[in-house]
Amino acid sequence: MKTALITGISGQDGAYLSQLLLQKGYRVVGLVRRSSNQEKASERLRWLGVEKDVELMDGDLTDLSSLIRVLAKVQPGEVYNLGAQSFVALSWQQPILTGEVTGMGAFNMLEAIRLLALKSRFYQASSSEMYGLIQAPLQNETTPFYPRSPYAVAKLAAHWITVNYRESFAMHASSGILFNHESPLRGIEFVTRKITDGVARIKLGLATHLELGNLEAARDWGHARDYVKAMWLMMQQESPRDYVVATGRSVTIRAFCEIAFGHAGLNYQNHVRVNPAFFRLAEVDCLKGDATKARERLGWAPETTLEELAAEMVEADLRRLAQK
Ligand code: NDP
Ligand code: GDR
């Protein structure tokens, strides 16, 4: 039986990846931070019905000793490093913490694997945010990076240390440069979920409007369920490599509003207000990924359209609020 260790198992991707690996017969162990509310750590796993099938172990990406302890005990064949302070806007308010978790966390995990001389394969959750001020209209694995936030700078450090450990120590370390991916399990602070939650509130008469920031930024959005499949495929390859994972379709926040409000029979123009408080200090205006390499080498392709994704999210938020 294969064993996988997932950092960030309580997050959106951690939940979908756990589900996928369990379906494939893996033993799944997750690293979780100590919290005063342990119920919270399992909320997403519970949503997917896999809470009882994973093992959770205490640890923190900023605490090398905890990583060594967990790795030595679990001896995983695959390590998926998904843990991060992942909210870009917060990274200007907590840049040092973001650097320590999102950046140094990857250094710690790689170093722990190396010190223990484990043969574990390593996956790093790299991000399209690293392209930032884009240097090409369509971004692929060879496009130069230009990070625009403390989060993106930290991700870039984590990305390059993954490349470096692969080249220096012949580790099976791969980086997935994933473009935005969403789902009903997306954190409420991210724009798609904020919108679908807002749509549901307005539809149910719990609110009349929704405040957003820059409506003209454009993102290449896919479904998290599809994207975790690419992570797993990378780890099954004989040679470790870096891959862009994206849909190749980029739409504005405004267009996403139109789709999500439209799904509930609403016109976003009657409900969305722009509040400059939600603008970024340095914006990433437009991201659009070219996943040709993932398609050709991994046989990966997105399976969910943006319209299907938005509909699934709106429906889930309607159900959640109705239950409350
Ligand atoms: P989430 O924000 O939903 O999850 C982040 C996870 O990291 C949570 O489980 C969180 O735990 C954990 N975490 C935070 N700090 C620490 C720490 N100090 N030690 C250990 N774990 C910690 O992110 P997603 O699931 O959306 O994303 C997964 C990864 O992929 C992240 O690294 C993100 O930056 C990256 N990424 C995401 C993309 C996306 O569109 N979703 C695109 C590209 C990259 P807790 O529950 O305790 O807070
Ligand atoms: P992003 O996601 O920064 O791309 O990072 P987010 O959904 O936060 O922002 C996307 C775009 O929407 C604009 N925007 C708003 N954003 C938020 N959060 N709230 C608003 O009210 C709002 N109004 C407009 C933003 O300015 C931005 O342009 C996500 C995270 O998952 C990262 O961890 C990951 O690395 C990248 O995706 C790829």
Side-chain angles (χ1 to χ4, degrees):
M1 184 192 244
K2 282 185 169 181
T3 300
L5 174 68
I6 304 176
T7 74
I9 194 165
S10 58
Q12 169 187 258
D13 292 7
Y16 281 105
L17 181 63
S18 296
Q19 185 183 48
L20 178 76
L21 297 180
L22 288 165
Q23 281 163 1
K24 293 187 181 295
Y26 277 64
R27 173 186 174 217
V28 176
V29 182
L31 186 88
V32 285
R33 301 191 278 173
R34 196 263 158 188
S35 155
S36 62
N37 183 355
Q38 287 297 352
E39 286 276 289
K40 268 261 171 222
S42 307
E43 211 173 272
R44 292 184 169 102
L45 295 164
R46 202 156 40 245
W47 172 283
L48 293 180
V50 297
E51 179 202 7
K52 295 200 166 49
D53 303 321
V54 302
E55 297 165 47
L56 302 182
M57 293 182 71
D58 291 315
D60 193 298
L61 280 168
T62 60
D63 179 2
L64 177 64
S65 67
S66 71
L67 303 182
I68 291 176
R69 177 178 49 77
V70 168
L71 282 168
K73 185 139 190 242
V74 176
Q75 303 269 324
E78 297 171 12
V79 174
Y80 295 86
N81 187 37
L82 311 184
Q85 189 304 91
S86 75
F87 188 34
V88 173
L90 185 82
S91 75
W92 279 283
Q93 289 162 38
Q94 299 190 4
I96 311 224
L97 174 114
T98 303
E100 280 169 359
V101 179
T102 307
M104 285 303 292
F107 282 65
N108 284 336
M109 189 49 102
L110 283 162
E111 190 57 2
I113 295 170
R114 189 182 74 84
L115 289 171
L116 290 167
L118 296 178
K119 292 274 168 269
S120 316
R121 294 183 172 192
F122 179 81
Y123 173 85
Q124 171 57 24
S126 285
S127 164
S128 53
E129 278 294 296
M130 301 187 310
Y131 295 116
L133 190 65
I134 53 169
Q135 305 293 298
L138 197 59
Q139 300 90 50
N140 66 18
E141 295 79 4
T142 62
T143 306
F145 299 116
Y146 193 135
R148 292 270 279 171
S149 62
Y151 166 82
V153 171
K155 276 289 178 193
L156 198 49
H159 176 75
W160 281 119
I161 199 68
T162 303
V163 174
N164 183 258
Y165 268 50
R166 178 169 75 219
E167 294 175 355
S168 307
F169 303 114
M171 277 177 69
H172 194 294
S174 298
S175 229
I177 307 174
L178 271 51
F179 283 59
N180 297 53
H181 45 280
E182 322 291 310
S183 74
L185 298 184
R186 186 57 141 153
I188 198 92
E189 66 274 35
F190 299 96
V191 77
T192 55
R193 181 72 205 295
K194 187 175 167 184
I195 293 168
T196 61
D197 174 72
V199 168
R201 280 175 197 281
I202 293 165
K203 185 72 183 171
L204 296 174
L206 302 171
T208 54
H209 70 276
L210 173 67
E211 289 194 346
L212 296 172
N214 179 12
L215 300 183
E216 309 315 328
R219 290 290 182 276
D220 177 334
W221 280 297
H223 197 305
R225 192 175 44 223
D226 296 346
Y227 284 36
V228 297
K229 290 181 188 162
M231 297 178 188
W232 176 77
L233 283 166
M234 285 177 220
M235 299 288 257
Q236 310 317 308
Q237 304 307 302
E238 205 168 300
S239 307
R241 284 192 179 85
D242 305 325
Y243 296 89
V244 159
V245 177
T247 69
R249 175 183 173 196
S250 180
V251 311
T252 60
I253 314 300
R254 185 183 293 285
F256 187 87
C257 284
E258 204 171 341
I259 296 168
F261 278 85
H263 179 75
L266 299 167
N267 181 346
Y268 83 96
Q269 285 170 317
N270 298 331
H271 302 286
V272 170
R273 292 183 195 161
V274 171
N275 181 344
F278 294 112
F279 277 62
R280 301 271 157 94
L281 293 171
E283 180 63 287
V284 172
D285 293 316
C286 180
L287 292 172
K288 190 174 179 182
D290 170 10
T292 305
K293 183 175 169 187
R295 192 174 60 244
E296 289 179 353
R297 286 186 178 261
L298 304 177
W300 179 87
E303 292 163 44
T304 317
T305 66
L306 185 60
E307 286 72 14
E308 289 164 348
L309 170 67
E312 186 183 332
M313 292 176 71
V314 169
E315 291 299 329
D317 278 319
L318 281 167
R319 272 199 309 279
R320 266 197 194 104
L321 289 169
Q323 274 165 16
K324 277 189 194 157

